[in-house]
Amino acid sequence: MGETAIAGVALAPSLAFVCGVGVFVLVLAGIALQNRLCRKRWDFASHTLVFISSIELVVGVALFYLVFGGQRLFDGIPLGVQGTVNAVFALLLYFSGLAVIYWTTYDPRANVGDSVSQKEHVALQLRFMAPFTVPFLFFTFLGDFASLLPLGKMSRMVGSSAEGLTEWVGTFGITGLFLVGMMIFLPYIITSVWQCTPMPPGPLTDRLNALCRRLKFRHAGMMTWTVMRESMTAAIIGVVSRFRYVMFTPALLEQMSPESVEAVLAHEIGHSQRKHLLIYPLVIFGAMVILGFYAALLALPIDNFFALKQLLHPGVFWGLAQPLAMLLPYVLILALYARVVFGFFSRQFERQADLHVYEAGLSPQAMINALDDVAVVSGNIHTQPNWHHYSIKQRIDFLRATETKPSLINKHHWRVRAIVAAYLALLAVGASLILDISGEGTPRWKTPAQWISRTYHDVDTALNGSMRQELALRYAETSGLGESPRAIKALERSLRKSSAVHYPGVVQYYAAQMLLDAGEPRASAQMMAAAWHAFDFEQTDPGAQDEFVQLSQR
């Protein structure tokens, strides 16, 4: 497969790469112009523009990969490094877009403490994002490495029955190696890239270490979080104690009292000891389950809708709209899930971490003072809503309520346990159902699986049924079969297959196969002749080509 068709015009990999990069540059220019106008004429908030521009940046990257297929320029690279090279280029595109976004949304009024220049602001934001590329690159590298392993040869040596076992062993081995590597090395990489420095010895450091000992919390060191010097915040990075670091921004250490800093540390330890860092990945995994249901019900009908439209009415619009229409629902589902589900869990966990001052033997007033300091320094944002933390006023009010009514403390902890238990039960059921739907053989979950299958069929028929009928009539006529009911029915059934609407000649191939099996050799031969006229060997793999030739021989 060496070319991409855009609006019916075939683009070689090099030309597709150049066009894709050109369109991506135009998207960045549009983002820059938009942000400049919104900042100067309408005084948009920086965080709002960053959010909008980030979505537009994703669209720009999607145009390069999904519409133009510019990444095919790297297809000639050897298998051991192809995925890594592609990943590095994708990150280059994304980070260049981030640089444009942060440069054009810079607001000196938003700084806390010392002023930060526009250039420093962009550098700090990119440095903040950089460590999170490590898991992506590392996993890609492991995938490249796995492609060199002789797993296929092993399967043939031990027999075909072991092929599935070999794949599972390889998958779990790579995943396990990835997770262990991230737990050990990522915290160190983060502290290095963020240029964190150890907190100097002194009364405050001694006081914080004493609190850690009291709470039996072990760590690899307390660090100053210089990359986030514009903010007042703290964090604990790492799950394994030997590779776990406690970090504070300079602004927090300079502008909070020792009692408040102690309360902040108790809050962060609360996240760790309440296992929030282990629960969050499971919460994120729930989004994958929901995306699985979307894929089972709607993704293929939507994809086929645009493919059928392109066959009926070839042109630029349907060719460009198809990949974007496939990407947009996934982006919207993830955004909605983050806002509703992840945000809900995050708010409960934040409130639970606030309550950890009681476990530390500290006064809740220390936590209240810390929250008040953050709100004041950030511009008196006490009542500003926060989708993943509650507003600062709500958090302060809850802490004050626990002083007069201590039963609220255990009540909230039980509430969180019940919510997590219910969520894990739903996650297990949903994941099992998705695996059951995607597996082979008779589903165990007969009623849910049948409902999903029926719903998918109804949606697909409502969306694409009339177009399939129109195309089937057209293909029957061009194949010389006129209005033959059997030919039209075979073509309609063939057009339900995704490959039939994406590769020329495949729909006639499937229809010829059905007609031959139905005892219509003459009609099958005519259909196969039409398939030969339309079939493009360059756009199919060798296995499909062999099947095509074998059916022709029959």
Side-chain angles (χ1 to χ4, degrees):
M1 223 172 119
E3 299 182 338
T4 294
I6 305 295
V9 179
L11 299 181
S14 57
L15 182 57
F17 179 86
V18 172
C19 292
V21 170
V23 170
F24 180 76
V25 171
L26 290 177
V27 170
L28 294 191
I31 289 173
L33 179 62
Q34 160 199 280
N35 292 345
R36 185 179 180 85
L37 291 174
C38 289
R39 292 287 302 141
K40 287 194 171 184
R41 293 192 178 183
W42 299 292
D43 197 28
F44 269 59
S46 292
H47 63 85
T48 301
L49 286 177
V50 169
F51 175 75
I52 295 171
S53 301
S54 297
I55 295 175
E56 294 166 341
L57 175 59
V58 171
V59 171
V61 174
L63 286 172
F64 176 84
Y65 280 94
L66 301 180
V67 175
F68 291 94
Q71 75 279 7
R72 291 179 302 107
L73 186 67
F74 307 122
D75 287 350
I77 297 175
L79 273 181
V81 294
Q82 187 181 108
T84 303
V85 171
N86 202 352
V88 169
F89 184 77
L91 290 174
L92 179 64
L93 290 180
Y94 185 68
F95 270 75
S96 63
L98 287 181
V100 170
I101 290 172
Y102 288 120
W103 182 271
T104 56
T105 58
Y106 169 75
D107 183 4
R109 298 170 299 178
N111 293 330
V112 175
D114 296 335
S115 62
V116 177
S117 70
Q118 190 173 23
K119 185 177 180 180
E120 289 174 321
H121 172 73
V122 174
L124 288 172
Q125 295 296 335
L126 295 183
R127 191 183 300 155
F128 176 77
M129 295 293 295
F132 301 108
T133 66
V134 173
F136 173 60
L137 288 174
F138 184 48
F139 198 75
T140 304
F141 170 77
L142 289 178
D144 277 341
F145 177 72
S147 69
L148 300 177
L149 297 178
L151 295 179
K153 294 179 181 178
M154 288 172 56
S155 298
R156 287 191 293 271
M157 288 171 61
V158 298
S160 59
S161 61
E163 184 175 353
L165 177 61
T166 304
E167 292 178 359
W168 275 104
V169 170
T171 300
F172 277 109
I174 291 173
T175 304
L177 184 61
F178 170 74
L179 293 175
V180 171
M182 288 302 98
M183 283 192 295
I184 294 175
F185 297 112
L186 188 58
Y188 175 76
I189 292 171
I190 288 175
T191 55
S192 299
V193 175
W194 287 352
Q195 297 181 341
C196 298
T197 57
M199 283 181 61
L204 179 58
T205 303
D206 293 341
R207 188 169 181 168
L208 296 178
N209 279 318
L211 176 62
C212 290
R213 288 192 295 271
R214 193 159 68 244
L215 289 173
K216 298 180 180 178
F217 177 78
R218 294 183 296 170
H219 59 84
M222 291 196 178
M223 316 290 283
T224 302
W225 199 355
T226 54
V227 75
M228 292 287 288
R229 65 185 186 218
E230 300 177 56
S231 306
M232 287 183 67
T233 189
I236 291 175
I237 294 180
V239 177
V240 180
S241 60
R242 190 175 177 182
F243 308 101
R244 181 164 57 200
Y245 298 90
V246 182
M247 301 195 300
F248 301 94
T249 59
L252 184 144
L253 295 174
E254 293 166 4
Q255 300 187 45
M256 281 190 182
S257 67
E259 292 79 12
S260 294
V261 176
E262 241 184 346
V264 170
L265 177 57
H267 172 99
E268 298 302 333
I269 292 175
H271 280 306
S272 179
Q273 294 187 333
R274 294 283 174 180
K275 311 301 181 187
H276 297 162
L277 297 179
L278 298 176
I279 298 172
Y280 273 132
L282 295 174
V283 175
I284 295 172
F285 181 70
M288 302 301 104
V289 174
I290 291 178
L291 289 175
F293 279 108
Y294 167 76
L297 285 171
L298 297 172
L300 190 56
I302 291 174
D303 184 40
N304 287 340
F305 172 82
F306 285 94
L308 291 168
K309 281 287 188 182
Q310 179 69 8
L311 290 174
L312 283 170
H313 312 289
V316 175
F317 176 77
W318 299 114
L320 295 177
Q322 182 177 4
L324 295 179
M326 291 301 296
L327 175 67
L328 187 59
Y330 287 98
V331 173
L332 292 176
I333 289 171
L334 287 174
L336 187 62
Y337 185 89
R339 178 64 180 84
V340 176
V341 180
F342 186 88
F344 172 76
F345 277 97
S346 180
R347 292 192 299 273
Q348 307 313 308
F349 292 165
E350 288 299 322
R351 181 164 285 180
Q352 197 172 34
D354 286 345
L355 293 174
H356 213 66
V357 291
Y358 287 103
E359 303 287 337
L362 303 176
S363 167
Q365 187 61 44
M367 190 72 235
I368 291 171
N369 291 341
L371 291 169
D372 185 62
D373 288 342
V374 172
V376 171
V377 172
S378 302
N380 294 312
I381 59 169
H382 295 78
T383 58
Q384 180 176 301
N386 190 305
W387 66 273
H388 58 93
H389 276 65
Y390 285 118
S391 71
I392 289 179
K393 182 179 183 303
Q394 287 175 303
R395 293 170 68 179
I396 289 175
D397 289 345
F398 183 75
L399 284 168
R400 284 178 174 154
T402 61
E403 291 183 281
T404 58
K405 193 175 180 181
S407 62
L408 289 174
I409 300 171
N410 284 331
K411 184 178 180 180
H412 183 71
H413 290 323
W414 277 107
R415 168 185 165 85
V416 173
R417 291 190 195 103
I419 290 170
V420 170
Y423 168 79
L424 292 178
L426 286 174
L427 181 65
V429 171
S432 298
L433 183 54
I434 288 297
L435 290 173
D436 194 39
I437 294 169
S438 60
E440 297 180 358
T442 304
R444 299 184 306 275
W445 299 64
K446 291 186 178 180
T447 302
Q450 288 171 355
W451 177 84
I452 290 174
S453 177
R454 185 167 58 250
T455 303
Y456 162 80
H457 184 271
D458 292 344
V459 170
D460 186 58
T461 300
L463 201 60
N464 302 317
S466 60
M467 287 191 289
R468 287 197 183 99
Q469 291 175 356
E470 186 176 349
L471 276 170
L473 284 169
R474 181 185 297 182
Y475 286 138
E477 290 177 0
T478 56
S479 302
L481 294 171
E483 298 183 1
S484 166
R486 286 197 173 184
I488 293 171
K489 184 178 179 180
L491 286 164
E492 283 190 51
R493 288 176 59 195
S494 300
L495 286 165
R496 289 188 175 276
K497 299 178 182 291
S498 182
S499 57
V501 297
H502 287 92
Y503 299 104
V506 175
V507 60
Q508 292 95 333
Y509 161 79
Y510 283 133
Q513 193 173 47
M514 293 177 190
L515 288 169
L516 186 61
D517 293 340
E520 296 280 348
R522 185 181 296 276
S524 175
Q526 287 182 254
M527 191 68 71
M528 201 63 200
W532 271 101
H533 283 291
F535 194 71
D536 186 351
F537 277 88
E538 291 186 358
Q539 293 194 38
T540 53
D541 59 66
Q545 296 171 15
D546 291 342
E547 292 178 8
F548 193 89
V549 173
Q550 287 172 11
L551 181 63
S552 301
Q553 291 173 344
R554 285 178 61 194

